[in-house]
Amino acid sequence: MMLEKTTRLTYLFDFYQSLLTPKQKSYMSLYYLDDFSLGEIAEEYNVSRQAVYDNIKRTDAMLEQYEEKLLLFQKFQERQLLMSRLREFSSSIENSLEFEALLNELEKLD
Amino acid sequence: MMLEKTTRLTYLFDFYQSLLTPKQKSYMSLYYLDDFSLGEIAEEYNVSRQAVYDNIKRTDAMLEQYEEKLLLFQKFQERQLLMSRLREFSSSIENSLEFEALLNELEKLD
């Protein structure tokens, strides 16, 4: 599995997991977050390796479709960039602690 | 129709319309954005007033379910509040034009 693709899907899973079914969520979480192999997930759920593979592939595609429509990950990345540029102002601001606190709260909203 | 509820649904429609079908989008757009009556939409699409009403009610519920899961409107409101507090720093910042420009770009991402 390409590292870059895995990172992207881990992010997409983070943004859109609330739209998935419990089974999709379990498979994705084991595969992308806990680094289980397809075989290990298959054993855990007493299904074929192929069934797990198909389910994960379909969920990957669903996540990409949600991203195409809602762009939450893309906007997150654009926001991160703007936030880091805003943070550069901090040193020149008198009440910089409050300023930093506001930026941190903003960042937590993503 | 209560004004507050209409405003909320107009926002929800704005955030989640990409997840609706073309027909749902048309009805919602005419009803909430162009202020058509149920009867006028029914005439336009050559269906019963009840059919339009049912479709819109179902779509309203879908939008509320998406919001329950993704919280895009709630986060938007929280972000707006933080942004207006960040904007208050502007007057005390040397390079305030660049600062304002960054805030405006951030705001456009919602």
Side-chain angles (χ1 to χ4, degrees), chain A residues 15-16 18-19 65-66 69-70 72 74-75 78-79 82-83 85-86 88-89 92-96 98-99 101-103 105-106 108-110, chain B residues 15-16 18-19 65-66 69-70 72 74-75 78-79 82-83 85-86 88-89 92-96 98-99 101-103 105-106 108-110:
Chain A
F15 282 110
Y16 301 111
S18 63
L19 300 174
Q65 276 166 24
Y66 281 129
K69 290 174 177 169
L70 294 171
L72 298 187
Q74 186 186 309
K75 287 179 179 178
E78 288 173 28
R79 226 179 253 126
L82 292 167
M83 297 288 281
R85 287 176 59 197
L86 277 176
E88 289 168 14
F89 284 94
S92 70
I93 290 177
E94 201 178 333
N95 207 339
S96 66
E98 194 198 333
F99 183 77
L102 286 171
L103 285 182
E105 277 189 71
L106 252 185
K108 260 191 286 173
L109 280 175
D110 261 317
Chain B
F15 282 109
Y16 301 111
S18 64
L19 300 175
Q65 275 166 25
Y66 281 128
K69 289 174 178 170
L70 293 172
L72 297 188
Q74 186 186 309
K75 286 180 180 178
E78 289 172 29
R79 229 179 251 126
L82 293 167
M83 297 286 282
R85 288 176 59 197
L86 277 176
E88 289 169 15
F89 284 94
S92 69
I93 290 178
E94 202 178 330
N95 208 337
S96 66
E98 193 198 331
F99 183 77
L102 285 171
L103 286 181
E105 277 190 74
L106 251 186
K108 260 190 289 172
L109 280 175
D110 261 317

Side-chain angles (χ1 to χ4, degrees), chain A residues 4-16:
Chain A
E4 209 177 310
K5 203 186 153 210
T6 306
T7 307
R8 176 178 172 81
L9 281 163
T10 306
Y11 268 108
L12 294 184
F13 176 59
D14 194 36
F15 282 110
Y16 301 111

